[in-house]
Amino acid sequence: MNTRSMSIWGKIIGGVAGFALGGPLGALIGAVAGHAVDKIREETATSLSVEVEEPEQGTRQVAFTVAVIVLGAKMAKADGAVTRAEVDAFKEVFHIPPHEVKNVGRIFDMAKKDAGGFEPYARQVGLMFRNEPAVLEELLSGLFHIAKADGDVHPAELSYLRRVSDMFGLNAQAFERVRTMFMASTDPDPYDILGVRRDASNDDIKRAYRKLIQENHPDKLSAQGLPQEFMDLANERMAMINASYDKIEKQRGLR
């Protein structure tokens, strides 16, 4: 485990990042760390927009990580059951250090037991990364990865994920791209992956591809707050984007 990822877990479990993060995510971190927290979900969109103006990279990484834990826990309620496969997928996404598994489980359990909805948490992370939609797509991808772990994405889970995407402020193309990556019954439609129409011009397809490659480059995502633990998923997305463009190139004879 590298120094960066250890520092993320240390900040989360120690509660240090909770105060810097603020909002419902920060309150949850504080509660898990044993701090007295009376109000977890009472932040408004207005107050959150003030709190997340210019968060440092470390705080962004913590926010991203905790958001997946919390939103993953809330998703577990969508189909009424948490399977062993989902738990294993959760650990797979995070590369959780063995000695921190129990502590991360405390965050998951607290979020799952919380009677409130997912909206305040999704709204906060959506505001924090509102200028980095590719990071929000990665977060959505992590949730899809967990949802699909037991073989299928349950209709209730898909509905939940669509609502989360809306709370993030992602457009329909972005949601469809992630959904296609994880739920295509056969090979994913390359046009859906690139977010272009089948009758799009060659130039439009090239522009869409270049934009996606630029936005989803691991170095850029890392600078925007994507934790190292999620780089495997980010690299898989890059590979699928490249493969989709290659397929369209062959179909259209662009090479």
PDB file of all heavy atoms in Angstrom, residues 66 84 108 116 176 185 193 243-244:
ATOM      1  N   VAL A  66     -15.172   8.361   0.583  1.00  0.00           N
ATOM      2  CA  VAL A  66     -16.285   8.225   1.516  1.00  0.00           C
ATOM      3  C   VAL A  66     -17.616   8.242   0.774  1.00  0.00           C
ATOM      4  O   VAL A  66     -18.559   7.535   1.145  1.00  0.00           O
ATOM      5  CB  VAL A  66     -16.242   9.336   2.584  1.00  0.00           C
ATOM      6  CG1 VAL A  66     -17.470   9.271   3.486  1.00  0.00           C
ATOM      7  CG2 VAL A  66     -14.981   9.214   3.419  1.00  0.00           C
ATOM      8  N   ARG A  84     -22.682 -11.310  -0.452  1.00  0.00           N
ATOM      9  CA  ARG A  84     -21.243 -11.471  -0.243  1.00  0.00           C
ATOM     10  C   ARG A  84     -20.470 -10.980  -1.448  1.00  0.00           C
ATOM     11  O   ARG A  84     -19.411 -10.375  -1.314  1.00  0.00           O
ATOM     12  CB  ARG A  84     -20.943 -12.954   0.029  1.00  0.00           C
ATOM     13  CG  ARG A  84     -19.455 -13.304   0.039  1.00  0.00           C
ATOM     14  CD  ARG A  84     -18.663 -12.465   1.025  1.00  0.00           C
ATOM     15  NE  ARG A  84     -19.172 -12.568   2.377  1.00  0.00           N
ATOM     16  CZ  ARG A  84     -18.696 -11.856   3.395  1.00  0.00           C
ATOM     17  NH1 ARG A  84     -17.743 -10.967   3.194  1.00  0.00           N
ATOM     18  NH2 ARG A  84     -19.206 -11.998   4.599  1.00  0.00           N
ATOM     19  N   PHE A 108     -19.611   2.009   6.412  1.00  0.00           N
ATOM     20  CA  PHE A 108     -20.633   1.386   5.581  1.00  0.00           C
ATOM     21  C   PHE A 108     -21.890   1.100   6.410  1.00  0.00           C
ATOM     22  O   PHE A 108     -23.009   1.434   6.009  1.00  0.00           O
ATOM     23  CB  PHE A 108     -20.077   0.094   4.977  1.00  0.00           C
ATOM     24  CG  PHE A 108     -20.972  -0.559   3.957  1.00  0.00           C
ATOM     25  CD1 PHE A 108     -20.836  -0.269   2.611  1.00  0.00           C
ATOM     26  CD2 PHE A 108     -21.940  -1.466   4.344  1.00  0.00           C
ATOM     27  CE1 PHE A 108     -21.659  -0.872   1.658  1.00  0.00           C
ATOM     28  CE2 PHE A 108     -22.765  -2.075   3.412  1.00  0.00           C
ATOM     29  CZ  PHE A 108     -22.622  -1.769   2.064  1.00  0.00           C
ATOM     30  N   GLY A 116     -31.980   8.447   6.804  1.00  0.00           N
ATOM     31  CA  GLY A 116     -32.123   9.458   5.757  1.00  0.00           C
ATOM     32  C   GLY A 116     -31.796   8.925   4.378  1.00  0.00           C
ATOM     33  O   GLY A 116     -31.318   7.800   4.211  1.00  0.00           O
ATOM     34  N   GLU A 176     -25.528   7.026 -19.726  1.00  0.00           N
ATOM     35  CA  GLU A 176     -25.655   5.935 -20.686  1.00  0.00           C
ATOM     36  C   GLU A 176     -24.298   5.296 -20.970  1.00  0.00           C
ATOM     37  O   GLU A 176     -24.203   4.075 -21.156  1.00  0.00           O
ATOM     38  CB  GLU A 176     -26.286   6.436 -21.977  1.00  0.00           C
ATOM     39  CG  GLU A 176     -26.626   5.345 -22.980  1.00  0.00           C
ATOM     40  CD  GLU A 176     -27.615   4.330 -22.452  1.00  0.00           C
ATOM     41  OE1 GLU A 176     -28.389   4.667 -21.532  1.00  0.00           O
ATOM     42  OE2 GLU A 176     -27.613   3.184 -22.944  1.00  0.00           O
ATOM     43  N   SER A 185     -25.437  -6.360 -22.882  1.00  0.00           N
ATOM     44  CA  SER A 185     -25.611  -7.813 -22.898  1.00  0.00           C
ATOM     45  C   SER A 185     -24.560  -8.501 -23.765  1.00  0.00           C
ATOM     46  O   SER A 185     -24.195  -9.636 -23.536  1.00  0.00           O
ATOM     47  CB  SER A 185     -27.017  -8.178 -23.402  1.00  0.00           C
ATOM     48  OG  SER A 185     -27.239  -7.614 -24.687  1.00  0.00           O
ATOM     49  N   ILE A 193     -20.482   4.442 -25.989  1.00  0.00           N
ATOM     50  CA  ILE A 193     -19.312   4.686 -25.145  1.00  0.00           C
ATOM     51  C   ILE A 193     -18.723   6.064 -25.433  1.00  0.00           C
ATOM     52  O   ILE A 193     -18.337   6.799 -24.502  1.00  0.00           O
ATOM     53  CB  ILE A 193     -18.228   3.610 -25.364  1.00  0.00           C
ATOM     54  CG1 ILE A 193     -18.771   2.218 -24.992  1.00  0.00           C
ATOM     55  CG2 ILE A 193     -16.970   3.924 -24.568  1.00  0.00           C
ATOM     56  CD1 ILE A 193     -19.177   2.078 -23.542  1.00  0.00           C
ATOM     57  N   ALA A 243     -10.844   1.106 -27.252  1.00  0.00           N
ATOM     58  CA  ALA A 243     -11.352  -0.021 -28.031  1.00  0.00           C
ATOM     59  C   ALA A 243     -12.579   0.381 -28.850  1.00  0.00           C
ATOM     60  O   ALA A 243     -12.747  -0.059 -29.990  1.00  0.00           O
ATOM     61  CB  ALA A 243     -11.699  -1.183 -27.103  1.00  0.00           C
ATOM     62  N   SER A 244     -13.421   1.232 -28.281  1.00  0.00           N
ATOM     63  CA  SER A 244     -14.620   1.690 -28.992  1.00  0.00           C
ATOM     64  C   SER A 244     -14.243   2.532 -30.203  1.00  0.00           C
ATOM     65  O   SER A 244     -14.826   2.378 -31.292  1.00  0.00           O
ATOM     66  CB  SER A 244     -15.510   2.504 -28.043  1.00  0.00           C
ATOM     67  OG  SER A 244     -15.980   1.692 -26.985  1.00  0.00           O
TER      68      SER A 244
END
